Structure formats: structure tokens, C-alpha cells
Amino acid sequence: MPSSAEARPTRRRLSSEERQSEIIRVAVELAASKGVEQVTTQDIADAMQLTQGAVFRHFSAKDEIWFAVIVWVREHLMRVIDRAAAGAPDPLMAIEQMFSAHLKFVGRHPAIPRLLFSELLHKKSGRFRQLIEEIIGGYEDRIVKLIDEAKACALIDQRLCSRAAAVLYIGMVQGLVLRSAIVGGGKAAQPSAAQIFQVFLRSLTARP
């Protein structure tokens, strides 16, 4: 019979990139349950069954972990909304599909509102704020482009300010996400979200 040591399954050694991805994933999960301010590197190490030293071999400080988390949010959120828009038959449908995909993404990762609106992160170095501003700005630019395309297709009034409409869209999404985090138990895909989007859509297509 094999000895207990021989029978024990060996744990695959992860590459540095894989370990960093795992640390980011665990940090996101802990932020959802505890809040950004309360998560420590010891919490992350315990959840991964590692020592703090092992965590610090991949990230030099806790701030580096949170910065990597925000980068992760940017990459995954932009990928989700771009994929949603790609299959739409027209620009307005693309915006609607982006809206729905965004809320579903937040529903799968309820820590995201806590991360983006965290007072702790906003008080950090300017690069945190700059990165969050880049996320919002990049998203807004995508909406402006689609609004302009909708104008070119005569789907909405040419006189509509594309930038103002994009700011309104971002505010609508942020408001729903923040509301769900406070009163909806983190369930961002609320039943009323589709109706709220229809109000936004009517504001684009209404003619004076």
C-alpha cells in the first residue's frame, strides 16, 4: 500500500502570473464580504492558505494588490461591454446591451461598487484616482461614439449633445449600482433596470 505521504495529492505549483491572478480574485471576494477597508494581507494569505511572505513575493504592498484589482476591473468590464455591443444590430441596441451586461457583471462581482467608490482608495496616491477616471472616461467615450453613430443613422435628434447623453448614461449606471449596493443586497440586475433604461432611451429619441 502507498504511504500517506504518497497518497496525498500534490498541489500544483502556480506560476507568478497565476498566483497574482489568484491573489486578485481572493481580494475581490474578500472585499465583497468585508469591505475594502477591512481586508488585510493576512486575510488574503489565510484564504489562500499561504503566509503573508508568500503574498508579498508577488505584490510588494497591499496598495499594489488594490491597484492590480482596479486594473482587473477595467480589463474585464471593458471586455464585457465591448462584447455586448459587438453583436447589436444598431447603436442604440448596442448601448442597451452594454447597460444590461454591465449590471450583470456587477451582479457577479458585487465588490466592484465598493472598490470604485471606496474612500480608502480615493485617498491613496493620485494613480488610483487617475486609473478610476480612465475607466469612467474610456467607458464614456464608447457611449459618445455610439450616440454619434445613432445620429448618423437618424435614430436620434442631431441636436442632442452626445457627451451630455454619455454622462447621463454613466450616472444612471452608477446610480443603479450604488443603490443596489445599499438597499438591494448587491443584486445590481434589478427588475426595474430595464424600465429605467427605457426612460433614458426615450430621452434620446424624443423630438422637440
Side-chain angles (χ1 to χ4, degrees):
M1 290 183 63
S3 67
S4 58
E6 292 173 334
R8 188 183 304 123
T10 58
R11 188 174 181 180
R12 185 173 72 88
R13 185 178 182 86
L14 300 181
S15 68
S16 179
E17 184 176 341
E18 289 173 322
R19 184 67 76 190
Q20 287 175 347
S21 296
E22 187 181 11
I23 291 170
I24 290 168
R25 177 186 61 78
V26 170
V28 170
E29 291 175 355
L30 289 172
S33 61
K34 300 184 66 170
V36 177
E37 293 81 359
Q38 303 303 319
V39 177
T40 66
T41 50
Q42 186 64 60
D43 292 330
I44 295 171
D46 290 345
M48 298 176 65
Q49 298 182 338
L50 298 174
T51 64
Q52 281 196 78
V55 172
F56 285 129
R57 277 199 294 273
H58 299 281
F59 292 98
S60 60
K62 189 168 73 168
D63 283 358
E64 296 301 318
I65 297 175
W66 290 128
F67 191 81
V69 166
I70 300 299
V71 171
W72 180 91
V73 170
R74 178 182 62 185
E75 292 174 352
H76 285 73
L77 177 59
M78 294 302 108
R79 189 180 305 150
V80 163
I81 63 174
D82 286 345
R83 188 183 301 127
D90 64 62
L92 293 182
M93 185 63 72
I95 295 173
E96 183 170 4
Q97 290 181 183
M98 289 167 68
F99 173 80
S100 178
H102 187 149
L103 294 183
K104 288 177 181 176
F105 178 74
V106 174
R108 292 193 299 271
H109 304 286
I112 288 176
R114 293 189 178 193
L115 290 163
L116 297 183
F117 296 114
S118 167
E119 185 178 358
L120 176 67
L121 296 189
H122 282 280
K123 285 182 176 178
K124 297 292 183 184
S125 67
R127 67 180 187 143
F128 277 90
R129 180 177 291 276
Q130 181 180 352
L131 182 56
I132 293 170
E133 288 176 355
E134 286 175 2
I135 295 172
I136 296 172
Y139 198 162
E140 190 176 292
D141 288 342
R142 284 167 167 80
I143 301 299
V144 168
K145 183 175 183 291
L146 289 169
I147 295 290
D148 287 341
E149 290 175 6
K151 287 181 182 179
C153 297
L155 295 175
I156 58 178
D157 193 332
Q158 296 290 326
R159 292 167 292 183
L160 181 77
C161 175
S162 300
R163 183 63 60 178
V167 170
L168 180 61
Y169 170 90
I170 296 295
M172 174 179 65
V173 173
Q174 288 177 327
L176 275 171
V177 168
L178 186 58
R179 181 181 185 278
S180 71
I182 295 172
V183 301
K187 297 179 180 178
Q190 305 168 49
S192 61
Q195 294 155 328
I196 291 170
F197 184 85
Q198 290 305 310
V199 173
F200 170 75
L201 185 61
R202 290 192 190 101
S203 75
L204 300 184
T205 56
R207 305 199 180 257

PDB file of all heavy atoms in Angstrom, residues 12 19 30 38 45 52 58 62 79 82 125 133 137 151 158 172 175 202 208:
ATOM      1  N   ARG A  12      -0.296  21.682  -7.321  1.00  0.00           N
ATOM      2  CA  ARG A  12       0.442  22.194  -8.465  1.00  0.00           C
ATOM      3  C   ARG A  12       1.050  23.551  -8.130  1.00  0.00           C
ATOM      4  O   ARG A  12       0.385  24.420  -7.587  1.00  0.00           O
ATOM      5  CB  ARG A  12      -0.494  22.333  -9.675  1.00  0.00           C
ATOM      6  CG  ARG A  12       0.227  22.748 -10.949  1.00  0.00           C
ATOM      7  CD  ARG A  12      -0.719  22.702 -12.137  1.00  0.00           C
ATOM      8  NE  ARG A  12      -1.698  23.776 -12.104  1.00  0.00           N
ATOM      9  CZ  ARG A  12      -1.477  24.986 -12.633  1.00  0.00           C
ATOM     10  NH1 ARG A  12      -0.317  25.273 -13.195  1.00  0.00           N
ATOM     11  NH2 ARG A  12      -2.420  25.910 -12.585  1.00  0.00           N
ATOM     12  N   ARG A  19      -0.373  33.038  -9.715  1.00  0.00           N
ATOM     13  CA  ARG A  19      -0.505  33.361  -8.289  1.00  0.00           C
ATOM     14  C   ARG A  19      -1.024  34.784  -8.106  1.00  0.00           C
ATOM     15  O   ARG A  19      -1.869  35.046  -7.254  1.00  0.00           O
ATOM     16  CB  ARG A  19       0.839  33.184  -7.586  1.00  0.00           C
ATOM     17  CG  ARG A  19       0.762  33.410  -6.080  1.00  0.00           C
ATOM     18  CD  ARG A  19      -0.075  32.336  -5.406  1.00  0.00           C
ATOM     19  NE  ARG A  19       0.631  31.090  -5.277  1.00  0.00           N
ATOM     20  CZ  ARG A  19       0.054  29.947  -4.905  1.00  0.00           C
ATOM     21  NH1 ARG A  19      -1.244  29.920  -4.650  1.00  0.00           N
ATOM     22  NH2 ARG A  19       0.750  28.836  -4.802  1.00  0.00           N
ATOM     23  N   LEU A  30     -12.994  38.904  -0.907  1.00  0.00           N
ATOM     24  CA  LEU A  30     -12.965  39.395   0.473  1.00  0.00           C
ATOM     25  C   LEU A  30     -13.541  40.808   0.567  1.00  0.00           C
ATOM     26  O   LEU A  30     -14.218  41.145   1.540  1.00  0.00           O
ATOM     27  CB  LEU A  30     -11.538  39.375   1.014  1.00  0.00           C
ATOM     28  CG  LEU A  30     -10.947  37.986   1.291  1.00  0.00           C
ATOM     29  CD1 LEU A  30      -9.465  38.095   1.624  1.00  0.00           C
ATOM     30  CD2 LEU A  30     -11.694  37.299   2.428  1.00  0.00           C
ATOM     31  N   GLN A  38     -11.486  46.806   5.439  1.00  0.00           N
ATOM     32  CA  GLN A  38     -11.268  45.782   6.461  1.00  0.00           C
ATOM     33  C   GLN A  38     -10.379  44.631   6.004  1.00  0.00           C
ATOM     34  O   GLN A  38      -9.944  43.829   6.830  1.00  0.00           O
ATOM     35  CB  GLN A  38     -12.631  45.207   6.905  1.00  0.00           C
ATOM     36  CG  GLN A  38     -13.611  46.248   7.437  1.00  0.00           C
ATOM     37  CD  GLN A  38     -13.050  47.030   8.605  1.00  0.00           C
ATOM     38  OE1 GLN A  38     -12.410  46.460   9.474  1.00  0.00           O
ATOM     39  NE2 GLN A  38     -13.275  48.336   8.613  1.00  0.00           N
ATOM     40  N   ALA A  45      -3.835  36.006   2.743  1.00  0.00           N
ATOM     41  CA  ALA A  45      -2.958  34.850   2.919  1.00  0.00           C
ATOM     42  C   ALA A  45      -3.712  33.664   3.520  1.00  0.00           C
ATOM     43  O   ALA A  45      -3.567  32.520   3.061  1.00  0.00           O
ATOM     44  CB  ALA A  45      -1.775  35.236   3.804  1.00  0.00           C
ATOM     45  N   GLN A  52       1.908  35.419   4.768  1.00  0.00           N
ATOM     46  CA  GLN A  52       1.953  36.784   4.255  1.00  0.00           C
ATOM     47  C   GLN A  52       3.189  36.997   3.390  1.00  0.00           C
ATOM     48  O   GLN A  52       3.139  37.728   2.383  1.00  0.00           O
ATOM     49  CB  GLN A  52       1.956  37.791   5.410  1.00  0.00           C
ATOM     50  CG  GLN A  52       0.601  38.045   6.029  1.00  0.00           C
ATOM     51  CD  GLN A  52       0.617  39.304   6.871  1.00  0.00           C
ATOM     52  OE1 GLN A  52       0.567  40.407   6.345  1.00  0.00           O
ATOM     53  NE2 GLN A  52       0.681  39.129   8.188  1.00  0.00           N
ATOM     54  N   HIS A  58       4.711  38.442  -4.424  1.00  0.00           N
ATOM     55  CA  HIS A  58       4.053  38.775  -5.696  1.00  0.00           C
ATOM     56  C   HIS A  58       3.578  40.224  -5.747  1.00  0.00           C
ATOM     57  O   HIS A  58       3.435  40.789  -6.833  1.00  0.00           O
ATOM     58  CB  HIS A  58       2.881  37.825  -5.924  1.00  0.00           C
ATOM     59  CG  HIS A  58       3.296  36.388  -6.002  1.00  0.00           C
ATOM     60  ND1 HIS A  58       3.845  35.837  -7.139  1.00  0.00           N
ATOM     61  CD2 HIS A  58       3.275  35.405  -5.070  1.00  0.00           C
ATOM     62  CE1 HIS A  58       4.137  34.570  -6.911  1.00  0.00           C
ATOM     63  NE2 HIS A  58       3.798  34.278  -5.668  1.00  0.00           N
ATOM     64  N   LYS A  62       0.101  46.120   0.137  1.00  0.00           N
ATOM     65  CA  LYS A  62      -1.337  45.926  -0.057  1.00  0.00           C
ATOM     66  C   LYS A  62      -1.881  46.880  -1.112  1.00  0.00           C
ATOM     67  O   LYS A  62      -2.772  46.514  -1.894  1.00  0.00           O
ATOM     68  CB  LYS A  62      -2.083  46.116   1.265  1.00  0.00           C
ATOM     69  CG  LYS A  62      -3.559  45.719   1.158  1.00  0.00           C
ATOM     70  CD  LYS A  62      -4.234  45.625   2.515  1.00  0.00           C
ATOM     71  CE  LYS A  62      -4.467  46.992   3.120  1.00  0.00           C
ATOM     72  NZ  LYS A  62      -5.370  46.925   4.300  1.00  0.00           N
ATOM     73  N   ARG A  79     -14.043  44.526 -21.518  1.00  0.00           N
ATOM     74  CA  ARG A  79     -14.211  43.359 -22.386  1.00  0.00           C
ATOM     75  C   ARG A  79     -15.676  42.933 -22.429  1.00  0.00           C
ATOM     76  O   ARG A  79     -16.220  42.616 -23.496  1.00  0.00           O
ATOM     77  CB  ARG A  79     -13.348  42.213 -21.875  1.00  0.00           C
ATOM     78  CG  ARG A  79     -13.272  41.006 -22.819  1.00  0.00           C
ATOM     79  CD  ARG A  79     -12.386  39.929 -22.210  1.00  0.00           C
ATOM     80  NE  ARG A  79     -11.079  40.467 -21.870  1.00  0.00           N
ATOM     81  CZ  ARG A  79     -10.329  40.012 -20.863  1.00  0.00           C
ATOM     82  NH1 ARG A  79     -10.780  39.044 -20.089  1.00  0.00           N
ATOM     83  NH2 ARG A  79      -9.150  40.542 -20.629  1.00  0.00           N
ATOM     84  N   ASP A  82     -17.764  45.641 -24.398  1.00  0.00           N
ATOM     85  CA  ASP A  82     -17.418  45.626 -25.832  1.00  0.00           C
ATOM     86  C   ASP A  82     -18.008  44.400 -26.509  1.00  0.00           C
ATOM     87  O   ASP A  82     -18.506  44.488 -27.637  1.00  0.00           O
ATOM     88  CB  ASP A  82     -15.894  45.647 -26.009  1.00  0.00           C
ATOM     89  CG  ASP A  82     -15.282  47.009 -25.721  1.00  0.00           C
ATOM     90  OD1 ASP A  82     -16.043  48.004 -25.665  1.00  0.00           O
ATOM     91  OD2 ASP A  82     -14.049  47.086 -25.535  1.00  0.00           O
ATOM     92  N   SER A 125      -2.631  57.364  -3.419  1.00  0.00           N
ATOM     93  CA  SER A 125      -1.894  58.198  -4.357  1.00  0.00           C
ATOM     94  C   SER A 125      -2.749  58.509  -5.586  1.00  0.00           C
ATOM     95  O   SER A 125      -3.718  57.813  -5.883  1.00  0.00           O
ATOM     96  CB  SER A 125      -0.610  57.490  -4.794  1.00  0.00           C
ATOM     97  OG  SER A 125      -0.917  56.338  -5.559  1.00  0.00           O
ATOM     98  N   GLU A 133     -10.560  57.278 -13.057  1.00  0.00           N
ATOM     99  CA  GLU A 133     -11.011  58.268 -14.034  1.00  0.00           C
ATOM    100  C   GLU A 133     -10.843  57.744 -15.460  1.00  0.00           C
ATOM    101  O   GLU A 133     -11.679  58.021 -16.336  1.00  0.00           O
ATOM    102  CB  GLU A 133     -10.236  59.573 -13.858  1.00  0.00           C
ATOM    103  CG  GLU A 133     -10.632  60.349 -12.608  1.00  0.00           C
ATOM    104  CD  GLU A 133      -9.785  61.599 -12.403  1.00  0.00           C
ATOM    105  OE1 GLU A 133      -8.824  61.801 -13.197  1.00  0.00           O
ATOM    106  OE2 GLU A 133     -10.074  62.359 -11.461  1.00  0.00           O
ATOM    107  N   GLY A 137     -13.753  57.507 -18.061  1.00  0.00           N
ATOM    108  CA  GLY A 137     -13.576  58.245 -19.306  1.00  0.00           C
ATOM    109  C   GLY A 137     -13.614  57.355 -20.530  1.00  0.00           C
ATOM    110  O   GLY A 137     -14.227  57.703 -21.556  1.00  0.00           O
ATOM    111  N   LYS A 151     -26.871  59.128 -34.325  1.00  0.00           N
ATOM    112  CA  LYS A 151     -27.214  60.358 -35.055  1.00  0.00           C
ATOM    113  C   LYS A 151     -27.033  60.153 -36.556  1.00  0.00           C
ATOM    114  O   LYS A 151     -27.880  60.562 -37.360  1.00  0.00           O
ATOM    115  CB  LYS A 151     -26.330  61.516 -34.586  1.00  0.00           C
ATOM    116  CG  LYS A 151     -26.632  62.064 -33.213  1.00  0.00           C
ATOM    117  CD  LYS A 151     -25.674  63.218 -32.917  1.00  0.00           C
ATOM    118  CE  LYS A 151     -25.871  63.794 -31.544  1.00  0.00           C
ATOM    119  NZ  LYS A 151     -24.920  64.894 -31.268  1.00  0.00           N
ATOM    120  N   GLN A 158     -30.249  65.088 -34.165  1.00  0.00           N
ATOM    121  CA  GLN A 158     -28.890  65.543 -34.423  1.00  0.00           C
ATOM    122  C   GLN A 158     -28.429  66.593 -33.419  1.00  0.00           C
ATOM    123  O   GLN A 158     -27.226  66.759 -33.181  1.00  0.00           O
ATOM    124  CB  GLN A 158     -28.797  66.127 -35.836  1.00  0.00           C
ATOM    125  CG  GLN A 158     -29.056  65.130 -36.953  1.00  0.00           C
ATOM    126  CD  GLN A 158     -27.942  64.109 -37.089  1.00  0.00           C
ATOM    127  OE1 GLN A 158     -26.787  64.443 -36.854  1.00  0.00           O
ATOM    128  NE2 GLN A 158     -28.279  62.876 -37.441  1.00  0.00           N
ATOM    129  N   MET A 172     -26.535  57.083 -14.688  1.00  0.00           N
ATOM    130  CA  MET A 172     -27.629  56.136 -14.491  1.00  0.00           C
ATOM    131  C   MET A 172     -27.094  54.785 -14.018  1.00  0.00           C
ATOM    132  O   MET A 172     -27.618  54.197 -13.059  1.00  0.00           O
ATOM    133  CB  MET A 172     -28.393  55.968 -15.808  1.00  0.00           C
ATOM    134  CG  MET A 172     -29.471  54.910 -15.794  1.00  0.00           C
ATOM    135  SD  MET A 172     -30.337  54.809 -17.395  1.00  0.00           S
ATOM    136  CE  MET A 172     -29.011  54.251 -18.470  1.00  0.00           C
ATOM    137  N   GLY A 175     -25.689  55.130 -10.488  1.00  0.00           N
ATOM    138  CA  GLY A 175     -26.780  55.261  -9.521  1.00  0.00           C
ATOM    139  C   GLY A 175     -27.433  53.932  -9.208  1.00  0.00           C
ATOM    140  O   GLY A 175     -27.709  53.607  -8.045  1.00  0.00           O
ATOM    141  N   ARG A 202     -35.926  56.964 -24.214  1.00  0.00           N
ATOM    142  CA  ARG A 202     -36.924  57.943 -24.677  1.00  0.00           C
ATOM    143  C   ARG A 202     -36.360  59.355 -24.642  1.00  0.00           C
ATOM    144  O   ARG A 202     -36.713  60.201 -25.463  1.00  0.00           O
ATOM    145  CB  ARG A 202     -38.195  57.843 -23.832  1.00  0.00           C
ATOM    146  CG  ARG A 202     -38.992  56.569 -24.084  1.00  0.00           C
ATOM    147  CD  ARG A 202     -40.381  56.641 -23.448  1.00  0.00           C
ATOM    148  NE  ARG A 202     -41.021  55.338 -23.507  1.00  0.00           N
ATOM    149  CZ  ARG A 202     -41.093  54.488 -22.492  1.00  0.00           C
ATOM    150  NH1 ARG A 202     -40.539  54.810 -21.318  1.00  0.00           N
ATOM    151  NH2 ARG A 202     -41.698  53.332 -22.635  1.00  0.00           N
ATOM    152  N   PRO A 208     -38.246  67.618 -30.030  1.00  0.00           N
ATOM    153  CA  PRO A 208     -38.959  68.832 -29.557  1.00  0.00           C
ATOM    154  C   PRO A 208     -40.090  69.202 -30.513  1.00  0.00           C
ATOM    155  O   PRO A 208     -40.033  68.891 -31.685  1.00  0.00           O
ATOM    156  CB  PRO A 208     -37.862  69.900 -29.555  1.00  0.00           C
ATOM    157  CG  PRO A 208     -36.859  69.416 -30.550  1.00  0.00           C
ATOM    158  CD  PRO A 208     -36.892  67.935 -30.488  1.00  0.00           C
TER     159      PRO A 208
END
